Amino acid sequence: MHYLTFVLFALTFTWFMVTASSPRRVIAVTVAGVLVLTLLISPPVAEAQGGLVEAIQAVLNVINGMLKNALSAINTARTAMNALYQNFVWPVQLINQAHAQVTQMINQYRALMASILNMNLSSATLPTPQSLETMMRDHRVNNFNSLTQSFGNTYGAIPSSVDASQADRDMSDMDDALTLDSLKTLKASDNATDLELQAANSIENSATQAAPGSAPFMTASAVASSIRSQALTQKMLAAELRQEAAHIAHQNGFRKRGATFTTQFRTLMMNLLQHN
Amino acid sequence: MKCFRDALKTAKCWIVGHKLRAAVLTLVLLVIAPWPAKAQYVDPCCAIMAAGLASISSALENVIGGGLNHILGVDQSIQQFEQNTVWPQNLINQARALVGGLQGIFNQIQSLTQIRVNSATLPNSQQLETNLLSRNANQIGQTSSNYTALYGQVPTTTDASQQVRDVVDMTDAAAQDAMKRAIEIDALSDLELQAASQINQGIQSAAPGSAPIIEAQADAWLVRANAYTQAATADLMRLRAIDLANSSADIKMGATNTTNLRQQLMNLLQHN
């Protein structure tokens, strides 16, 4: 910056000096140049260095006082944090203890509960119901036709139009249909339950090795599984709702037909009495 | 080159012709020309400064450097502990892999819920059944007409007493409400399964720090799912309540009919 100012001043001063037309102007330019030089371009006055020792001492005081204390405090805080993490938040021995507990509970409960759930509950004694019962409880979803067949064998077919009124046939068909719907839904639900148990086992197995940082993944996945489980429960509830609704609709159908029959009977009796 | 030579010649002529000006100009320029500063080794204050800087350097090294080293040691210990014990990368990857594996199971479950279970064989029952199993809330508007086509209408005033008509209508209403609720619940559970899959996919790409956020969302969905289950259970309870009330109504109406019959028989006997 100082060099640039000097160059600018030198050029300007030279120009005025060269173009000055009289000695008086030369003197005027010289005086003006000196004044400008003194007032604007001269280097700043150097400061005195009398306080150097005090300044160095002040810096040393800052280093040995404030900075040392601050670093010491940070060190204390970080050490405390480290101890907090290792001894209180994530103590390794408790993490290992949790792993051991998961493993121990798997050994204690899993096989026992599976054996309880898989106990044979079949109770039918005659061949046809036995076949239906087996079909109903086999957790398979690829034999719905056989189920329908077994159901028909056990509970009979819908009466023909000669044997029953259309209303009776319709109600009977609806009852059978909703029963079969429920049985099929239950076969699918049983199958889904098996898969859910499989998922639960996988999550629990992983928990035996999980770290505090990986556990949230499993927890979130387990919650997502719970949502699915609820959805399946709802599907079963919906099937039960349909079934129960059909049940009371059927009974109500009897009530309606009873009213119709009563009216017909009353008309018949009145006609009979009138004829007599 | 020639121009330069001419310029020099012109300048020389000017200097010869204007000796005073040239002298003043040279003097001023020499005076104000910036000169490099000289080193000050011999200055006594430099020795003080050197000693001071050495003290500062020593203090920086011992106090600041030592303190920072202690902090670094603690931080390295924390980092090692967090990397190896709290958030070990291999276990986090294993957890992500588990979530991916579970998605396969969940897809199987979802496909199980899509299996068709329709079983009716006659037109009226087929129509009602199709409506009930539609999983489409927009089909609820058709439920009542399909129901009436199969189960009949409420008896007219000439066919039944008002009491019987009320009971029949209430029973039909409860049955239809439950059927409509079943359609709703099926539709809702389909959406829940879809949402659960989305959540599971979110977990697969989550970080350990963001997984709890997804978990919170999943928890909220679980609460919602519980509410839907309760709604369905409530309708089931209403159905059973109406069923029980119907049994009671049958007894009540039976008693009334018996009383009426006895009264009419007594009147008949008195007339005779």
Side-chain angles (χ1 to χ4, degrees):
Chain A
M1 188 64 195
H2 195 70
Y3 282 99
L4 182 66
T5 314
F6 168 73
V7 170
L8 282 174
F9 172 79
L11 288 172
T12 314
F13 185 70
T14 305
W15 170 256
F16 281 117
M17 194 59 86
V18 168
T19 54
S21 53
S22 65
R24 289 179 67 188
R25 286 198 174 185
V26 170
I27 293 165
V29 168
T30 307
V31 170
V34 169
L35 283 174
V36 170
L37 185 69
T38 310
L39 295 175
L40 300 177
I41 303 173
S42 62
V45 179
E47 289 177 8
Q49 297 175 332
L52 184 62
V53 176
E54 286 80 4
I56 290 169
Q57 191 55 52
V59 172
L60 286 171
N61 288 344
V62 168
I63 291 170
N64 287 311
M66 195 176 73
L67 288 179
K68 187 181 177 183
N69 291 342
L71 284 175
S72 174
I74 292 170
N75 191 27
T76 308
R78 299 293 294 171
T79 307
M81 202 182 288
N82 190 21
L84 177 78
Y85 286 169
Q86 297 202 23
N87 301 329
F88 189 72
V89 184
W90 297 299
V92 174
Q93 80 276 11
L94 287 186
I95 291 171
N96 291 336
Q97 201 174 311
H99 289 160
Q101 184 184 334
V102 177
T103 308
Q104 183 267 324
M105 285 182 72
I106 287 173
N107 294 335
Q108 184 180 354
Y109 292 107
R110 191 177 290 177
L112 175 67
M113 292 175 84
S115 69
I116 291 172
L117 187 69
N118 294 327
M119 280 168 81
N120 186 8
L121 304 179
S122 302
S123 311
T125 54
L126 300 177
T128 311
Q130 269 180 338
S131 162
L132 177 62
E133 190 184 29
T134 307
M135 211 72 74
M136 278 165 51
R137 314 185 64 88
D138 65 2
H139 298 206
R140 288 171 57 194
V141 289
N142 56 356
N143 58 355
F144 283 175
N145 288 339
S146 308
L147 175 76
T148 308
Q149 183 70 41
S150 284
F151 181 83
N153 292 342
T154 308
Y155 288 101
I158 306 295
S160 68
S161 53
V162 184
D163 294 339
S165 68
Q166 189 56 40
D168 275 340
R169 294 181 72 230
D170 280 345
M171 280 206 291
S172 180
D173 190 46
M174 193 66 209
D175 290 346
D176 281 0
L178 289 178
T179 307
L180 275 169
D181 292 352
S182 292
L183 292 177
K184 290 171 185 174
T185 303
L186 289 175
K187 279 160 75 72
S189 297
D190 281 345
N191 196 322
T193 304
D194 293 342
L195 291 169
E196 276 179 41
L197 289 172
Q198 207 176 310
N201 288 347
S202 298
I203 293 170
E204 199 180 23
N205 287 344
S206 296
T208 59
Q209 300 170 351
S214 68
F217 289 88
M218 291 166 205
T219 316
S221 197
V223 177
S225 304
S226 299
I227 298 170
R228 276 192 188 83
S229 173
Q230 276 294 324
L232 290 173
T233 308
Q234 287 160 15
K235 295 234 170 272
M236 291 166 73
L237 265 177
E240 194 176 354
L241 271 175
R242 286 192 289 269
Q243 200 170 264
E244 288 283 333
H247 178 64
I248 70 163
H250 190 133
Q251 288 176 334
N252 212 26
F254 284 147
R255 220 167 266 123
K256 292 171 193 169
R257 288 170 63 200
T260 311
F261 288 152
T262 307
T263 307
Q264 285 172 355
F265 181 68
R266 191 171 56 226
T267 311
L268 201 70
M269 288 298 285
M270 283 172 71
N271 289 340
L272 199 66
L273 289 171
Q274 279 169 359
H275 284 302
N276 288 340
Chain B
M1 192 64 190
K2 188 174 181 294
C3 290
F4 181 67
R5 210 177 295 141
D6 290 344
L8 278 178
K9 198 179 281 179
T10 309
K12 186 183 170 189
C13 290
W14 185 84
I15 290 167
V16 170
H18 303 83
K19 287 188 181 72
L20 179 63
R21 290 188 204 187
V24 169
L25 189 61
T26 308
L27 183 67
V28 169
L29 292 179
L30 277 174
V31 166
I32 65 160
W35 300 100
K38 287 181 182 175
Q40 297 177 330
Y41 285 121
V42 290
D43 196 325
C45 79
C46 293
I48 298 168
M49 189 182 279
L53 286 173
S55 300
I56 290 171
S57 169
S58 167
L60 283 172
E61 199 173 317
N62 296 328
V63 179
I64 309 286
L68 284 174
N69 271 335
H70 280 131
I71 293 170
L72 180 66
V74 174
D75 274 358
Q76 278 173 340
S77 164
I78 292 174
Q79 186 204 15
Q80 206 171 7
F81 177 68
E82 289 185 351
Q83 277 191 352
N84 298 336
T85 309
V86 184
W87 292 296
Q89 187 64 48
N90 60 325
L91 289 185
I92 288 167
N93 290 340
Q94 265 181 34
R96 284 201 182 107
L98 166 79
V99 177
L102 290 177
Q103 185 61 45
I105 293 178
F106 297 149
N107 290 341
Q108 274 179 276
I109 292 177
Q110 202 156 353
S111 62
L112 280 172
T113 64
Q114 303 294 330
I115 294 172
R116 285 173 61 82
V117 295
N118 296 51
S119 310
T121 57
L122 301 178
N124 280 340
S125 42
Q126 271 181 336
Q127 207 168 3
L128 179 60
E129 189 191 32
T130 304
N131 179 270
L132 295 183
L133 300 178
S134 65
R135 304 152 180 263
N136 182 355
N138 295 327
Q139 299 286 318
I140 285 175
Q142 310 296 319
T143 308
S144 291
S145 58
N146 290 337
Y147 178 92
T148 308
L150 198 139
Y151 290 108
Q153 292 178 325
V154 176
T156 60
T157 46
T158 50
D159 288 347
S161 67
Q162 190 54 42
Q163 194 185 4
V164 170
R165 293 181 71 233
D166 286 344
V167 169
V168 168
D169 189 44
M170 190 61 231
T171 308
D172 274 352
Q176 287 180 42
D177 290 351
M179 288 174 174
K180 290 171 185 172
R181 176 68 82 191
I183 297 172
E184 274 181 7
I185 291 294
D186 266 341
L188 287 170
S189 60
D190 280 348
L191 293 174
E192 283 168 30
L193 288 170
Q194 203 177 313
S197 284
Q198 279 179 11
I199 289 170
N200 219 54
Q201 280 162 11
I203 300 165
Q204 282 177 69
S205 55
S210 69
I213 298 171
I214 299 176
E215 187 195 331
Q217 191 204 9
D219 276 325
W221 268 90
L222 186 57
V223 173
R224 196 174 287 132
N226 280 327
Y228 297 148
T229 307
Q230 284 159 15
T233 309
D235 261 302
L236 190 60
M237 287 177 73
R238 274 190 280 274
L239 263 186
R240 287 180 179 159
I242 293 295
D243 195 17
L244 187 64
N246 282 347
S247 304
S248 175
D250 285 342
I251 293 170
K252 292 170 199 165
M253 284 189 279
T256 309
N257 290 341
T258 308
T259 307
N260 290 342
L261 182 66
R262 191 171 57 228
Q263 192 63 46
Q264 280 174 5
L265 282 173
M266 283 172 70
N267 290 342
L268 197 68
L269 289 172
Q270 280 172 357
H271 284 301
N272 289 339

